[in-house]
Structures are given as C-alpha cells and as structure tokens.
Amino acid sequence: EPEVTQTPSHQVTQMGQEVILRCVPISNHLYFYWYRQILGQKVEFLVSFYNNEISEKSEIFDDQFSVERPDGSNFTLKIRSTKLEDSAMYFCASSDEGMNTEAFFGQGTRLTVV
Amino acid sequence: AQTVTQSQPEMSVQEAETVTLSCTYDTSENNYYLFWYKQPPSRQMILVIRQEAYKQQNATENRFSVNFQKAAKSFSLKISDSQLGDTAMYFCAFMKHDAGGTSYGKLTFGQGTILTVHP
C-alpha cells in the first residue's frame, strides 16, 4: 500500500541552525501539506502546496519557514533559524485532487531544538 | 475560521465494550467533511471514518460509526466491541470543500482524545 514517508524520524538541532525536513508523498498525489504538533497540543496546519506553489499557509508559517518540491518526488520543509518553540512533531501529508479527498499522513519527524 | 473541540482529554474502556468519543465544531461553511483520525503510539495518523456534511445518514465503517448532528454541530465517534489495538489518540477534524465536493485539503483538528482499551 502506498504511503507517505518522512526522514529523519528524529532531528536534534541547535537553536539558530537551519533544518530541512524531508517527505516523499504518495506518487500520484497533487496536494502536499505540512502540519505540526507541539507536545500535548493539537495538530496545527502550517502550509499546503499545489502546482508548485503555496496554496494556503497559516499565521505560524512566517518568513522562517519555506517549502519546496525540488525534484518531483520530495517535498521539504525548511526552517531557516530554529527557535526553541519550533520543537514539535512535524507531519507531512498528501492528497489526491477531487471529491472525497483523503489526506494521507507520514509518520512524522520529531524536531528538538536545544 | 473553523474550530473543533474535543472535550474529553482521556477515555478508557474495557475490551469488547462500547465507547463514544465526543466532538463539536463551529463553522459558517455549508460544505464540509468531518473526519476521525487515529494516531497509534507509532504516531502515524490513519483515517478511521469520514462524514459528508450534506449526507444525513451517519457514516459507518465496521466497528466504527458516527453520530452526526449537523444542527448541533456535533460529531461523535462510537467504537463497538473495543479491541486492544484501538488504543490510540483520536482526532476529530474538519475540512471544507466547494459546492462540487472538491476539497481544499486543509484539516482543522481538535485537541485529541487518548483512548485506552483495557484487557
């Protein structure tokens, strides 16, 4: 069964460093998303991406964040200068286009900023 | 903007019994889907069940069913014959779509309910 895969599963980084979280969506999907879940809090939408551009972003997704689909298969989330409050589980998701669209989630990357 | 509220942080149930998880939402949208997602300890979210808001009939998926009360903006999940593998965090989620049914993909989640099934 096709699935969304994310790497790494856990990343530890120093405050102020740049991190790139990687995702491989399901191959025939057209919409891609990043969500995050701070420990003990709800899952929050960050950004959606369609047709090689951002289609929607939340207020969390400020200038420190960027997304890219560099090679037609990977979908990345970059945080330019990490802050302690960026520590969270980051989930990638993808979905097909059309009716009754279901989002498929990856297993997540736990980002720890120290 | 939409909000989704799950008022039960934790629930527990004995194996083989039935449990109901609550969810309420608030929206001004007319066209939307509602979902229940399961997040097992391995932390990959899996879709459990989906309800189209324009359908009055409650969705059912094997042991999982929903009680969708559109006027009350309530969307509860009933798990029958609970199994140990049902132990997980359960999220209620909302997604709007256009009049043709095509969704925009963005999910708004509730806070989650941790369900523990005891042997």
Side-chain angles (χ1 to χ4, degrees):
Chain A
E1 187 173 331
E3 60 180 20
V4 177
T5 57
Q6 292 183 242
T7 55
S9 57
H10 190 193
Q11 172 121 22
V12 181
T13 189
Q14 295 270 348
M15 189 169 56
Q17 294 295 306
E18 175 183 286
V19 294
I20 297 176
L21 309 183
R22 302 180 192 280
C23 169
V24 179
I26 294 173
S27 62
N28 63 336
H29 283 184
L30 301 175
Y31 289 85
F32 314 109
Y33 315 90
W34 284 101
Y35 291 81
R36 80 172 184 189
Q37 184 182 25
I38 295 172
L39 186 63
Q41 299 185 23
K42 63 170 67 177
V43 178
E44 301 171 292
F45 169 80
L46 291 178
V47 65
S48 59
F49 191 86
Y50 171 71
N51 200 24
N52 286 319
E53 61 183 21
I54 290 173
S55 50
E56 188 174 359
K57 61 182 180 179
S58 72
E59 61 275 10
I60 302 168
F61 195 88
D62 61 21
D63 292 343
Q64 296 285 8
F65 292 87
S66 63
V67 290
E68 192 178 31
R69 190 155 161 79
D71 56 13
S73 62
N74 290 284
F75 179 53
T76 62
L77 174 69
K78 181 192 292 185
I79 309 174
R80 288 189 182 81
S81 178
T82 50
K83 303 186 282 286
L84 294 177
E85 54 265 38
D86 293 327
S87 295
M89 183 72 91
Y90 288 81
F91 293 101
C92 173
S94 69
S95 64
D96 201 349
E97 185 175 35
M99 296 184 64
N100 296 327
T101 301
E102 174 184 346
F104 290 82
F105 285 82
Q107 76 278 24
T109 293
R110 179 169 296 285
L111 176 66
T112 303
V113 182
V114 297
Chain B
Q2 291 70 231
T3 58
V4 178
T5 302
Q6 294 176 249
S7 58
Q8 304 154 316
E10 295 186 45
M11 294 279 285
S12 64
V13 64
Q14 291 295 124
E15 199 175 5
E17 292 186 349
T18 295
V19 63
T20 299
L21 308 184
S22 301
C23 173
T24 58
Y25 62 95
D26 191 23
T27 184
S28 58
E29 301 286 340
N30 290 319
N31 303 311
Y32 53 90
Y33 301 114
L34 295 164
F35 304 86
W36 279 97
Y37 275 88
K38 171 185 176 180
Q39 188 182 32
S42 65
R43 305 190 72 81
Q44 182 169 22
M45 267 188 286
I46 306 163
L47 179 66
V48 174
I49 198 165
R50 168 177 48 220
Q51 174 78 40
E52 288 90 349
Y54 59 85
K55 288 188 177 179
Q56 292 187 340
Q57 186 175 6
N58 289 324
T60 299
E61 197 71 45
N62 299 317
R63 297 183 295 108
F64 298 89
S65 61
V66 299
N67 183 5
F68 174 48
Q69 301 290 327
K70 191 171 184 179
K73 294 189 171 68
S74 169
F75 182 62
S76 61
L77 174 70
K78 185 172 84 171
I79 306 174
S80 304
D81 186 25
S82 297
Q83 300 176 0
L84 296 178
D86 295 334
T87 293
M89 173 83 88
Y90 286 81
F91 290 100
C92 178
F94 173 103
M95 179 195 292
K96 68 180 181 182
H97 65 80
D98 66 21
T102 300
S103 72
Y104 301 100
K106 172 188 170 184
L107 288 159
T108 301
F109 287 90
Q111 302 92 322
T113 297
I114 299 172
L115 175 67
T116 304
V117 180
H118 297 285

Coordinates of all heavy atoms in Angstrom, one line a residue, chain B residues 31-80:
Chain B
N31 N -20.5 23.7 3.2 CA -19.9 22.5 2.5 C -18.7 22.0 3.2 O -17.6 22.7 3.2 CB -19.6 22.8 1.1 CG -20.9 23.3 0.3 OD1 -21.9 22.7 0.4 ND2 -20.7 24.3 -0.4
Y32 N -18.7 20.9 3.8 CA -17.5 20.4 4.5 C -17.6 18.9 4.8 O -18.7 18.3 4.7 CB -17.4 21.1 5.9 CG -18.6 21.1 6.8 CD1 -18.7 20.1 7.7 CD2 -19.5 22.1 6.7 CE1 -19.8 20.1 8.6 CE2 -20.6 22.2 7.6 CZ -20.8 21.1 8.5 OH -21.8 21.1 9.4
Y33 N -16.5 18.4 5.1 CA -16.3 17.0 5.6 C -15.9 17.0 7.0 O -15.2 17.9 7.5 CB -15.3 16.2 4.8 CG -15.5 16.1 3.3 CD1 -14.6 16.8 2.4 CD2 -16.6 15.4 2.7 CE1 -14.8 16.7 1.0 CE2 -16.8 15.3 1.4 CZ -15.9 16.0 0.5 OH -16.1 15.9 -0.8
L34 N -16.2 15.9 7.7 CA -15.7 15.7 9.1 C -15.1 14.3 9.1 O -15.5 13.4 8.4 CB -16.9 15.7 10.1 CG -17.6 17.1 10.2 CD1 -18.9 17.0 10.9 CD2 -16.7 18.1 10.9
F35 N -14.0 14.3 9.9 CA -13.2 13.1 9.9 C -12.9 12.7 11.4 O -12.8 13.6 12.3 CB -11.8 13.3 9.2 CG -11.9 13.7 7.8 CD1 -12.0 15.1 7.5 CD2 -11.9 12.8 6.8 CE1 -12.1 15.5 6.2 CE2 -11.9 13.3 5.4 CZ -12.0 14.6 5.2
W36 N -12.7 11.4 11.6 CA -12.0 10.9 12.8 C -10.7 10.2 12.3 O -10.7 9.4 11.4 CB -12.8 9.9 13.5 CG -13.8 10.6 14.4 CD1 -15.2 10.8 14.1 CD2 -13.6 11.2 15.7 NE1 -15.8 11.5 15.2 CE2 -14.8 11.7 16.2 CE3 -12.5 11.2 16.6 CZ2 -15.0 12.3 17.4 CZ3 -12.6 11.8 17.8 CH2 -13.9 12.3 18.2
Y37 N -9.6 10.7 12.9 CA -8.3 10.1 12.6 C -7.8 9.4 13.9 O -8.0 9.9 15.0 CB -7.3 11.2 12.2 CG -7.2 11.5 10.8 CD1 -8.1 12.5 10.3 CD2 -6.4 10.9 9.9 CE1 -8.1 12.9 8.9 CE2 -6.4 11.2 8.5 CZ -7.2 12.2 8.1 OH -7.2 12.5 6.7
K38 N -7.1 8.3 13.7 CA -6.5 7.6 14.8 C -5.0 7.7 14.7 O -4.4 7.6 13.6 CB -6.9 6.1 14.7 CG -6.2 5.1 15.6 CD -6.6 3.7 15.2 CE -5.9 2.7 16.1 NZ -6.3 1.3 15.7
Q39 N -4.4 8.0 15.9 CA -2.9 8.1 15.9 C -2.4 7.2 16.9 O -2.3 7.5 18.1 CB -2.5 9.6 16.3 CG -1.1 9.9 16.2 CD -0.8 11.3 16.6 OE1 -1.4 11.9 17.5 NE2 0.2 11.9 16.0
P40 N -2.0 6.0 16.5 CA -1.4 5.0 17.4 C -0.1 5.5 18.0 O 0.5 6.4 17.5 CB -1.3 3.7 16.6 CG -2.0 4.0 15.3 CD -2.0 5.5 15.1
P41 N 0.4 4.7 19.0 CA 1.7 5.1 19.6 C 2.8 5.3 18.6 O 3.8 6.0 18.8 CB 2.0 4.0 20.6 CG 0.6 3.5 21.0 CD -0.2 3.7 19.7
S42 N 2.8 4.6 17.4 CA 3.8 4.8 16.4 C 3.7 6.2 15.7 O 4.6 6.6 15.0 CB 3.7 3.7 15.3 OG 2.4 3.9 14.6
R43 N 2.6 6.9 16.0 CA 2.4 8.3 15.6 C 2.0 8.6 14.2 O 2.1 9.7 13.8 CB 3.5 9.2 16.1 CG 3.8 9.0 17.6 CD 4.7 10.0 18.1 NE 4.1 11.4 18.2 CZ 3.3 11.8 19.1 NH1 3.1 11.0 20.2 NH2 2.8 13.0 19.1
Q44 N 1.7 7.6 13.4 CA 1.2 7.9 12.0 C -0.3 8.0 12.1 O -0.9 7.0 12.5 CB 1.7 6.9 11.0 CG 1.3 7.1 9.6 CD 2.0 6.2 8.7 OE1 2.5 5.1 9.1 NE2 2.1 6.5 7.4
M45 N -0.8 9.1 11.7 CA -2.3 9.2 11.7 C -2.9 8.4 10.6 O -2.5 8.5 9.4 CB -2.7 10.7 11.6 CG -2.8 11.4 12.9 SD -3.5 13.0 12.8 CE -2.0 13.9 12.2
I46 N -4.0 7.8 10.9 CA -4.7 6.9 10.0 C -6.2 7.4 10.0 O -6.8 7.6 11.0 CB -4.7 5.5 10.4 CG1 -3.2 5.0 10.6 CG2 -5.4 4.6 9.4 CD1 -3.1 3.7 11.3
L47 N -6.8 7.5 8.8 CA -8.2 7.9 8.7 C -9.1 6.7 9.2 O -8.9 5.6 8.8 CB -8.6 8.2 7.3 CG -10.0 8.6 7.1 CD1 -10.3 9.9 7.8 CD2 -10.3 8.7 5.6
V48 N -10.0 7.0 10.1 CA -10.9 6.0 10.6 C -12.2 6.0 9.9 O -12.7 5.0 9.4 CB -11.1 6.2 12.2 CG1 -12.2 5.3 12.7 CG2 -9.8 6.0 12.9
I49 N -12.8 7.2 9.8 CA -14.1 7.4 9.2 C -14.3 8.8 8.7 O -13.7 9.7 9.3 CB -15.2 6.9 10.2 CG1 -16.5 6.6 9.6 CG2 -15.3 8.0 11.3 CD1 -17.5 5.9 10.5
R50 N -15.2 9.0 7.7 CA -15.4 10.3 7.1 C -16.9 10.5 7.0 O -17.6 9.5 6.7 CB -14.7 10.4 5.8 CG -15.1 11.5 4.9 CD -14.4 11.6 3.6 NE -14.3 10.3 3.0 CZ -13.3 9.8 2.3 NH1 -12.2 10.5 2.3 NH2 -13.3 8.7 1.8
Q51 N -17.3 11.7 7.2 CA -18.8 12.0 7.0 C -18.9 13.3 6.1 O -18.2 14.3 6.3 CB -19.4 12.4 8.4 CG -20.8 12.9 8.4 CD -21.8 11.8 8.2 OE1 -21.7 10.7 8.7 NE2 -22.8 12.1 7.4
E52 N -19.7 13.1 5.1 CA -20.0 14.3 4.3 C -21.2 15.1 4.9 O -22.2 14.5 5.3 CB -20.4 13.9 2.9 CG -19.3 13.4 2.0 CD -19.1 11.9 2.1 OE1 -19.7 11.3 3.0 OE2 -18.4 11.3 1.3
A53 N -21.0 16.4 5.1 CA -22.0 17.1 5.9 C -23.3 17.2 5.2 O -24.4 17.3 5.9 CB -21.4 18.6 6.1
Y54 N -23.3 17.0 3.9 CA -24.6 17.1 3.2 C -25.4 15.8 3.3 O -26.6 15.7 2.8 CB -24.4 17.5 1.7 CG -23.6 16.5 0.9 CD1 -24.1 15.4 0.3 CD2 -22.2 16.8 0.7 CE1 -23.3 14.5 -0.5 CE2 -21.4 15.9 0.0 CZ -22.0 14.8 -0.6 OH -21.2 14.0 -1.3
K55 N -24.8 14.8 3.8 CA -25.5 13.5 4.0 C -26.1 13.4 5.4 O -25.3 13.6 6.4 CB -24.5 12.3 3.7 CG -24.1 12.2 2.3 CD -23.3 10.9 2.1 CE -23.0 10.7 0.6 NZ -22.2 9.4 0.4
Q56 N -27.3 13.1 5.5 CA -28.0 12.9 6.8 C -27.6 11.6 7.4 O -27.6 11.5 8.6 CB -29.5 13.1 6.6 CG -29.9 14.5 6.3 CD -31.4 14.7 6.3 OE1 -32.1 13.7 6.3 NE2 -31.9 15.9 6.5
Q57 N -27.4 10.6 6.6 CA -27.1 9.3 7.1 C -25.7 9.2 7.7 O -24.7 9.7 7.2 CB -27.1 8.3 5.9 CG -27.0 6.8 6.4 CD -27.1 5.8 5.3 OE1 -27.3 6.2 4.1 NE2 -27.2 4.6 5.6
N58 N -25.7 8.7 8.9 CA -24.4 8.6 9.7 C -23.5 7.6 9.0 O -23.9 6.5 8.6 CB -24.7 8.2 11.1 CG -25.3 9.3 11.9 OD1 -25.0 10.4 11.7 ND2 -26.2 8.9 12.8
A59 N -22.2 7.9 8.9 CA -21.2 7.0 8.3 C -20.9 5.9 9.3 O -20.9 6.0 10.5 CB -20.0 7.8 8.0
T60 N -20.7 4.7 8.7 CA -20.3 3.5 9.4 C -19.2 2.8 8.7 O -19.2 2.7 7.5 CB -21.5 2.5 9.5 OG1 -22.6 3.2 10.2 CG2 -21.2 1.3 10.3
E61 N -18.2 2.3 9.5 CA -17.1 1.6 9.0 C -16.8 0.5 10.0 O -16.0 0.7 10.9 CB -15.9 2.6 8.8 CG -14.8 2.1 7.9 CD -15.2 2.1 6.5 OE1 -15.8 3.1 6.0 OE2 -14.9 1.1 5.8
N62 N -17.4 -0.7 9.7 CA -17.2 -1.8 10.5 C -17.6 -1.5 12.0 O -18.7 -1.2 12.2 CB -15.7 -2.3 10.4 CG -15.4 -2.8 9.0 OD1 -16.2 -3.4 8.3 ND2 -14.2 -2.4 8.6
R63 N -16.6 -1.5 12.9 CA -17.0 -1.3 14.3 C -17.1 0.2 14.7 O -17.4 0.5 15.8 CB -15.9 -2.0 15.2 CG -15.8 -3.5 15.1 CD -14.8 -4.0 16.0 NE -13.4 -3.6 15.7 CZ -12.7 -2.7 16.5 NH1 -13.3 -2.2 17.5 NH2 -11.5 -2.3 16.1
F64 N -16.8 1.0 13.7 CA -16.8 2.5 14.0 C -18.0 3.1 13.3 O -18.3 2.8 12.1 CB -15.5 3.1 13.4 CG -14.2 2.5 14.0 CD1 -13.6 1.4 13.5 CD2 -13.7 3.2 15.1 CE1 -12.4 0.9 14.0 CE2 -12.5 2.7 15.7 CZ -11.9 1.6 15.1
S65 N -18.7 3.9 14.1 CA -19.8 4.7 13.5 C -19.8 6.1 14.1 O -19.2 6.3 15.2 CB -21.1 4.0 13.8 OG -21.3 3.8 15.2
V66 N -20.5 7.0 13.4 CA -20.6 8.3 13.9 C -22.0 8.7 14.2 O -22.9 8.1 13.6 CB -19.9 9.4 12.9 CG1 -18.4 9.0 12.7 CG2 -20.7 9.4 11.6
N67 N -22.2 9.7 15.1 CA -23.5 10.3 15.3 C -23.3 11.8 14.9 O -22.7 12.5 15.7 CB -23.9 10.1 16.8 CG -25.3 10.7 17.0 OD1 -26.0 11.2 16.1 ND2 -25.7 10.8 18.2
F68 N -23.8 12.1 13.7 CA -23.6 13.4 13.2 C -24.9 14.2 13.4 O -25.9 13.8 12.8 CB -23.2 13.3 11.7 CG -23.2 14.6 11.0 CD1 -22.5 15.7 11.5 CD2 -23.8 14.8 9.7 CE1 -22.4 16.9 10.8 CE2 -23.7 15.9 9.0 CZ -23.0 17.0 9.6
Q69 N -24.8 15.3 14.1 CA -25.9 16.1 14.4 C -25.5 17.5 13.8 O -24.9 18.3 14.5 CB -26.2 16.2 15.9 CG -26.5 14.9 16.6 CD -27.8 14.3 16.1 OE1 -28.8 15.1 15.9 NE2 -27.9 13.0 16.0
K70 N -26.0 17.8 12.6 CA -25.5 19.0 11.9 C -26.0 20.3 12.6 O -25.2 21.2 12.7 CB -26.0 19.0 10.5 CG -25.3 20.0 9.6 CD -25.6 19.8 8.1 CE -24.9 20.9 7.3 NZ -25.2 20.7 5.8
A71 N -27.2 20.3 13.0 CA -27.8 21.5 13.6 C -27.0 21.8 14.9 O -26.8 23.0 15.3 CB -29.2 21.3 13.9
A72 N -26.7 20.8 15.6 CA -26.0 20.9 16.9 C -24.5 21.0 16.7 O -23.7 21.3 17.7 CB -26.3 19.8 17.9
K73 N -24.0 20.8 15.5 CA -22.6 20.8 15.2 C -21.8 19.9 16.1 O -20.8 20.2 16.7 CB -22.0 22.2 15.2 CG -22.5 23.2 14.2 CD -21.8 24.5 14.2 CE -22.2 25.4 13.0 NZ -23.5 25.9 13.0
S74 N -22.4 18.7 16.1 CA -21.8 17.6 16.9 C -21.4 16.4 16.0 O -22.2 16.1 15.1 CB -22.8 17.2 18.0 OG -22.4 16.1 18.7
F75 N -20.3 15.7 16.3 CA -19.8 14.7 15.5 C -19.1 13.7 16.4 O -17.9 13.7 16.6 CB -18.9 15.2 14.4 CG -18.4 14.2 13.5 CD1 -19.2 13.5 12.6 CD2 -17.0 14.0 13.4 CE1 -18.7 12.6 11.7 CE2 -16.5 13.1 12.4 CZ -17.3 12.4 11.6
S76 N -19.8 12.7 17.0 CA -19.2 11.8 17.9 C -18.9 10.5 17.2 O -19.5 10.1 16.2 CB -20.1 11.6 19.1 OG -21.4 11.0 18.7
L77 N -17.9 9.8 17.8 CA -17.4 8.5 17.2 C -17.7 7.4 18.2 O -17.4 7.5 19.4 CB -15.9 8.6 17.0 CG -15.3 7.3 16.6 CD1 -15.7 6.9 15.2 CD2 -13.7 7.3 16.7
K78 N -18.4 6.4 17.8 CA -18.7 5.3 18.6 C -17.9 4.1 18.1 O -17.9 3.7 16.9 CB -20.2 4.9 18.5 CG -20.6 3.8 19.5 CD -22.1 3.5 19.6 CE -22.6 2.7 18.5 NZ -24.0 2.3 18.7
I79 N -17.2 3.5 19.1 CA -16.4 2.3 18.8 C -17.1 1.1 19.5 O -17.2 1.1 20.7 CB -14.9 2.4 19.2 CG1 -14.3 3.7 18.6 CG2 -14.1 1.2 18.8 CD1 -12.9 4.0 19.2
S80 N -17.5 0.2 18.7 CA -18.2 -1.0 19.3 C -17.2 -2.1 19.4 O -16.2 -2.2 18.7 CB -19.3 -1.5 18.4 OG -20.2 -0.4 18.2

